[in-house]
Amino acid sequence: MPSINELYGWLLDIYPDPVEGVILWFLDEDGIQRHRLHQPFPTSFYVHGPSSNLRSLWRYLKSLPEPLQLSRAEKQDLFVEKPLSVLKIMTETPPAQERLFNQLKRSFPGLVYYNADISVDLRYAAQTGVFPLARCRVLATDEGEIKTLETLDSPWAIDSPQVPLLVMALSPDSNPDHREPISLKVHLQGRHYTFPFRDERGLLIKLQALLRRYDPDLLLTVWGDNWLIDKLHQLMEKHHITLSLNREKGLGVERREERFYHSYGGVIYRGPQARLFGRIHISTENTVMYHDYGLEGVYEMARVTSLRIQTAARVSPGTGISSMQILTALRQDLLVPWHKQQVEWSKSAYNLLQSDRGGLVFQPTVGLHANVAEIDFISMYPSIMEHFNISPETVGKSSKNSTFVPELELNIDQDQRGLVPDTLQPLLEKRIRLKQELAGMDPRDARWHPFQARSSAHKWLLVTCFGYLGYKNARFGRIEAHEAVTAYGREALLQAKEAAEELGFRVLHMYVDGLWVQKEGASQIADFQPLLEEILDRTGLPISLDGIYRWIAFLSSRPDPRVPVANRYFGLFKNGTWKVRGIEVRRDDTSKWVKKVQREMLDLLAKAPDAGQLVDQLPRIHALLQTRLSALRQRKIPLEELLISQKISRSLEEFKVPSPAAKAAAQLAAIDKNLIPGQRVRFLYTRGKPGVFAWDLEERPDPKIVDIDRYAELLCRAAYTILQPLGVEERTLRWWMFTNAGYGAPPGFLPDSCSQETPLLGDYSWTMHHLDPVFFSAH
């Protein structure tokens, strides 16, 4: 009998094997040894359909040479009242199951398939309770076969110990889309290495030496998916030198093609992927939300979704929440449909208008307001799903204890717990616990950053779960459940508004899950606590005080100042932090230079002790704008700071009138650098035709061709965004920027009614009277 070894450690990776079932890599508890273990893993899927078709399928399967176990079973479909009679097909390994399913769906397209396309990581998690980076106790033979696996951890614990992963960071010294990199930078164990690409053989030998010596768990690359991994493979083939990118010998790199899709009116691009086996590869530029939550957030996404770390890093939060729902269904022994089977119920025109209204949005009171509190429901829509038991199978179902959705002719079954609330409950509880810990934690605490990253990962999952409930391809989605959530959301926000007004507060703005309130004499946390308690009592939903603004400005539409914009504002909290929405500093298509100047303007406003003294900062802002505009006209701004980055919304041939981004993309296409919808193109605005210069062209642009007037106009718009609430009219601002400084206004910059000799003053004419050249030169 082979001896049995006991191992304590963390799960690093899991993937299927055509012979051994599944392969699992563990990091020993001491963080030194890595163990390759394996386990048989027979895999099942189910088929439902007419009895005659199932008999034909049975005979066909019996004729196949590969070993299969066939049996009939009774299984529950979430959307069917009674259990279904299904054919259970069990294969010896996950790869065999995948091959067979792909064969059957072509040969028997009329049958209904369940549990057919579920990844091995989710199947294994459902069966064993293990998840990525889980601390485990394993009993295995000398040959590495797992006999017992026990999870000693929970994905819902907030104080799990840090896993001592060894990370090797690899980055080319330049963006390959812009120019061919000269060297490869490597960071490992506090040491930095630089390997020139011109010494191709030497680069491979040195990199392989580092891989063998340190055996890193994670390769953290920049442009790894898009360029670096392919480049290394080209060099390996050329020089016949093998890099140990995988820990699993004999396997290559798992590649996924680039793709794009439409979501919420936008185009989302997902780049190509290069995944490894036994070693983790994360490419930062292709990792969803990496800029928001970093590696800690990626780890947390993997822990709570049970997806492989490499997968969790690259998929959208929607795929993450779908994986969690699949995992819940598997653990409850529910069938997981291959395709969504539910269609929207027929509705009258009146019912459609009532139900399809989305979240409640209030028109804000435009202007500047002091001592304003922002009150937010904590994860409002997920909380509604969990609190009111909203799930695809509970909506529209009457029961003894069913509830009635406000405004909709719709019942919610309360006798059975829904799959979606079951999925969300532990995630909501963990996020609330993390936020409570963070509220009283010093930012210098070592736990602060990982807790913040985990909370951010939860936020994106919870935000997405609502949209996924109504997504057309969601397996466990139903549009009526989506509409029920928004109906409860509108009702909760109206109840909060009523509570605020009854307690003497003025409601300045409401937006889906939050409201901004003001009350004379109320400026401290304690002044708003009775309102929070009243809202909680009326709605039953968790709510929090997001903060108290020293002042906040709600902005209007640029074309018509009489029209408020719901999600366009900026405000300064009493703790000195900013919250901005919808303005240039938050937009991805704004140049770094314009963002930088707008931030400088905000920093100047932050120096005012209160809202009443904001206008005192106008002279300094004017001087700042003149200085920055002067630097622009003298061409002292680095071209990199003037770059505009915009998405390509469609293929180039679909543009009837090409946008600036399309013109830049066409320049790249001319040199075989083709972009697909959803990708970004960087360009400079230039004088003359075509008006843009694509930054990723091989030649460098002449700084003299940059359209200075265009960038001055962009700066003027950004400045007006900040100064409008202070009473500065746009034509007055233009006079400040383009006339009073002696540059002269470019054609079309001043309206005909505005002379270049006389300024047009805004509401603060008494302040503007002091804005003369002598004053500015002194400041």
Side-chain angles (χ1 to χ4, degrees):
M1 292 291 292
S3 60
I4 302 296
N5 304 306
E6 185 179 48
L7 163 68
Y8 287 88
W10 290 278
L11 176 64
L12 294 179
D13 200 12
I14 177 173
Y15 47 89
D17 184 85
V19 176
E20 295 178 304
V22 290
I23 306 298
L24 298 95
W25 283 87
F26 281 88
L27 173 62
D28 209 341
E29 199 169 35
D30 58 12
I32 297 176
Q33 291 183 297
R34 281 79 183 166
H35 303 269
R36 180 191 184 276
L37 306 177
H38 58 90
Q39 185 176 10
F41 196 65
T43 305
S44 302
F45 67 108
Y46 303 90
V47 188
H48 176 67
S51 298
S52 58
N53 293 357
L54 290 180
R55 283 194 294 270
S56 299
L57 175 61
W58 183 291
R59 289 192 293 270
Y60 174 79
L61 292 172
K62 283 292 187 180
S63 68
L64 297 178
E66 58 187 291
L68 299 172
Q69 292 185 31
L70 306 179
S71 61
R72 292 196 178 273
E74 297 290 319
K75 290 286 184 178
Q76 185 66 54
D77 184 320
L78 190 68
F79 300 100
V80 180
E81 289 287 341
K82 296 181 180 179
L84 297 178
S85 179
V86 293
L87 173 61
K88 179 181 179 180
I89 307 171
M90 179 180 289
T91 63
E92 291 188 338
T93 65
Q97 183 272 326
E98 183 178 358
R99 287 195 306 272
L100 180 59
F101 167 60
N102 289 331
Q103 181 180 344
L104 294 184
K105 69 183 181 183
R106 292 190 299 267
S107 302
F108 298 87
L111 295 173
V112 181
Y113 298 92
Y114 294 95
N115 296 27
D117 61 338
I118 301 173
S119 60
V120 70
D121 40 10
L122 293 182
R123 291 182 186 272
Y124 196 81
Q127 186 169 312
T128 65
V130 76
F131 53 90
L133 301 182
R135 185 171 179 270
C136 303
R137 174 180 175 268
V138 182
L139 298 180
T141 65
D142 291 336
E143 290 75 29
E145 182 178 344
I146 295 175
K147 294 301 183 181
T148 302
L149 174 63
E150 178 185 2
T151 304
L152 306 176
D153 194 3
S154 168
W156 313 117
I158 65 172
D159 55 355
S160 298
Q162 195 81 7
V163 182
L165 295 178
L166 181 56
V167 179
M168 174 187 279
L170 303 166
S171 62
D173 64 345
S174 65
N175 185 342
D177 291 333
H178 187 49
R179 64 178 177 87
E180 188 73 13
I182 297 174
S183 61
L184 178 65
K185 298 179 179 180
V186 182
H187 177 73
L188 179 67
Q189 291 284 72
R191 299 179 180 179
H192 299 271
Y193 307 87
T194 300
F195 303 142
F197 278 106
R198 67 175 180 271
D199 182 12
E200 297 175 346
R201 186 177 180 84
L203 182 147
L204 293 175
I205 292 173
K206 293 171 184 176
L207 192 56
Q208 175 65 0
L210 291 177
L211 290 170
R212 284 185 174 178
R213 178 180 177 185
Y214 293 100
D215 191 21
D217 303 301
L218 168 64
L219 298 184
L220 183 66
T221 65
V222 182
W223 300 296
D225 280 348
N226 293 327
W227 183 83
L228 182 58
I229 298 298
D230 284 340
K231 178 68 174 180
L232 292 176
H233 268 274
Q234 292 171 10
L235 297 181
M236 284 189 279
E237 291 178 359
K238 179 179 179 181
H239 296 281
H240 306 288
I241 296 175
T242 302
L243 289 178
S244 303
L245 296 177
N246 283 312
R247 282 198 176 120
E248 183 71 37
K249 296 179 181 179
L251 290 183
V253 176
E254 180 187 3
R255 300 184 184 277
R256 304 284 178 91
E257 296 297 323
E258 64 182 359
R259 64 189 182 94
F260 71 92
Y261 58 92
H262 296 269
S263 177
Y264 290 98
V267 183
I268 308 298
Y269 169 76
R270 293 284 178 258
Q273 301 178 19
R275 304 184 190 183
L276 305 179
F277 296 93
R279 204 188 311 278
I280 303 162
H281 173 227
I282 293 178
S283 186
T284 58
E285 86 291 341
N286 203 31
T287 298
V288 180
M289 304 310 299
Y290 186 85
H291 66 283
D292 187 73
Y293 50 53
L295 274 180
E296 280 291 345
V298 171
Y299 298 155
E300 182 67 9
M301 288 286 284
R303 286 173 63 89
V304 300
T305 63
S306 293
L307 294 170
R308 290 177 70 193
I309 297 173
Q310 298 179 89
T311 304
R314 292 172 171 86
V315 299
S316 67
T319 301
I321 205 72
S322 174
S323 300
M324 295 175 67
Q325 292 174 359
I326 290 173
L327 194 59
T328 302
L330 291 176
R331 287 172 174 166
Q332 295 179 0
D333 200 24
L334 296 170
L335 292 171
V336 179
W338 174 39
H339 286 314
K340 180 178 179 178
Q341 303 170 16
Q342 294 70 47
V343 296
E344 184 173 359
W345 297 330
S346 60
K347 297 182 178 72
S348 66
Y350 174 78
N351 288 340
L352 188 61
L353 287 174
Q354 284 290 100
S355 58
D356 191 20
R357 291 197 288 165
L360 180 62
V361 177
F362 197 68
Q363 284 196 329
T365 305
V366 172
L368 193 65
H369 308 277
N371 295 322
V372 175
E374 181 178 348
I375 297 173
D376 289 332
F377 287 94
I378 301 174
S379 301
M380 182 193 219
Y381 285 168
S383 296
I384 287 174
M385 296 179 213
E386 196 276 333
H387 182 73
F388 294 102
N389 196 36
I390 298 177
S391 193
E393 78 278 18
T394 63
V395 169
K397 185 176 180 181
S398 299
S399 65
K400 185 176 181 181
N401 298 308
S402 61
T403 55
F404 197 71
V405 181
E407 302 178 346
L408 308 183
E409 297 177 3
L410 206 60
N411 289 315
I412 306 292
D413 182 10
Q414 301 298 333
D415 288 346
Q416 61 168 332
R417 184 68 170 168
L419 179 138
V420 169
D422 268 351
T423 301
L424 294 178
Q425 182 178 355
L427 185 64
L428 276 167
E429 292 175 351
K430 183 175 184 179
R431 182 162 193 256
I432 290 173
R433 292 201 309 272
L434 283 173
K435 288 179 73 71
Q436 290 171 343
E437 290 287 334
L438 285 166
M441 188 180 295
D442 190 321
R444 294 170 295 183
D445 191 314
R447 299 171 298 164
W448 190 88
H449 175 71
F451 276 27
Q452 188 72 32
R454 293 170 196 169
S455 178
S456 181
H458 299 161
K459 176 189 73 174
W460 288 110
L461 285 170
L462 292 169
V463 165
T464 307
C465 73
F466 161 69
Y468 213 75
L469 197 59
Y471 177 47
K472 63 179 181 179
N473 292 329
R475 307 181 204 226
F476 298 112
R478 188 187 287 281
I479 189 62
E480 288 77 15
H482 181 92
E483 293 166 347
V485 174
T486 58
Y488 275 116
R490 294 191 297 270
E491 179 67 18
L493 204 56
L494 287 175
Q495 290 177 348
K497 180 177 183 289
E498 292 171 357
E501 291 173 341
E502 289 176 13
L503 292 177
F505 289 89
R506 179 189 180 200
V507 178
L508 298 173
H509 187 26
M510 296 194 300
Y511 191 82
V512 181
D513 63 349
L515 63 162
W516 288 257
V517 298
Q518 185 186 54
K519 183 179 181 180
E520 186 175 352
S523 61
Q524 304 300 320
I525 293 177
D527 299 328
F528 299 93
Q529 193 60 39
L531 176 58
L532 296 177
E533 295 172 357
E534 182 65 21
I535 293 174
L536 175 61
D537 184 61
R538 294 192 185 195
T539 66
L541 300 175
I543 194 161
S544 67
L545 179 66
D546 193 52
I548 302 174
Y549 293 93
R550 191 187 305 170
W551 54 265
I552 186 172
F554 295 112
L555 302 175
S556 65
S557 165
R558 282 192 59 84
D560 190 344
R562 297 170 300 175
V563 178
V565 179
N567 202 26
R568 192 163 178 258
Y569 60 87
F570 60 95
L572 182 67
F573 286 112
K574 286 183 174 291
N575 63 4
T577 60
W578 286 97
K579 184 169 184 178
V580 298
R581 294 291 184 269
I583 68 174
E584 286 78 3
V585 76
R586 284 271 299 193
R587 293 178 59 91
D588 293 334
D589 58 355
T590 304
S591 70
K592 290 182 180 179
W593 177 68
V594 171
K595 286 184 177 183
K596 179 180 177 181
V597 178
Q598 194 175 63
R599 286 193 196 98
E600 291 176 317
M601 294 176 68
L602 291 173
D603 290 341
L604 288 174
L605 292 180
K607 295 180 179 180
D610 55 53
Q613 300 181 56
L614 285 173
V615 292
D616 294 343
Q617 299 300 318
L618 289 178
R620 295 177 178 82
I621 290 176
H622 179 268
L624 169 70
L625 292 173
Q626 290 295 317
T627 300
R628 299 297 177 257
L629 189 60
S630 175
L632 175 69
R633 294 198 178 279
Q634 295 175 38
R635 302 187 184 276
K636 293 181 179 180
I637 310 301
L639 295 183
E640 289 83 355
E641 293 189 11
L642 298 178
L643 286 178
I644 306 296
S645 174
Q646 293 181 358
K647 278 186 179 181
I648 299 296
S649 59
R650 59 182 77 96
S651 58
L652 293 179
E653 56 270 16
E654 293 181 275
F655 281 93
K656 294 182 179 179
V657 179
S659 64
K663 292 178 182 178
Q667 294 174 4
L668 294 176
I671 59 169
D672 293 327
K673 287 187 175 182
N674 297 299
L675 302 180
I676 69 172
Q679 284 189 287
R680 287 190 171 273
V681 58
R682 300 179 298 169
F683 60 88
L684 293 168
Y685 285 116
T686 58
R687 293 182 287 107
K689 293 185 178 180
V692 298
F693 185 95
W695 186 249
D696 293 324
L697 293 172
E698 294 175 355
E699 68 271 19
R700 294 293 82 218
D702 183 352
K704 294 180 181 180
I705 70 172
V706 173
D707 189 348
I708 296 300
D709 292 342
R710 183 70 175 266
Y711 285 99
E713 168 68 9
L714 295 176
L715 178 61
C716 182
R717 291 184 179 184
Y720 182 63
T721 297
I722 303 301
L723 297 179
Q724 179 191 11
L726 304 185
V728 178
E729 296 182 0
E730 186 171 7
R731 52 184 180 172
T732 303
L733 173 63
R734 292 179 180 275
W735 186 87
W736 288 4
M737 293 181 64
F738 305 122
T739 306
N740 198 37
Y743 297 117
F749 268 48
L750 293 172
D752 294 337
S753 60
C754 180
S755 72
Q756 300 214 3
E757 291 79 24
T758 306
L760 295 174
L761 305 183
D763 297 335
Y764 291 91
S765 56
W766 57 273
T767 303
M768 303 293 292
H769 177 73
H770 299 286
L771 302 185
D772 56 50
V774 176
F775 182 91
F776 291 128
S777 63
H779 290 76

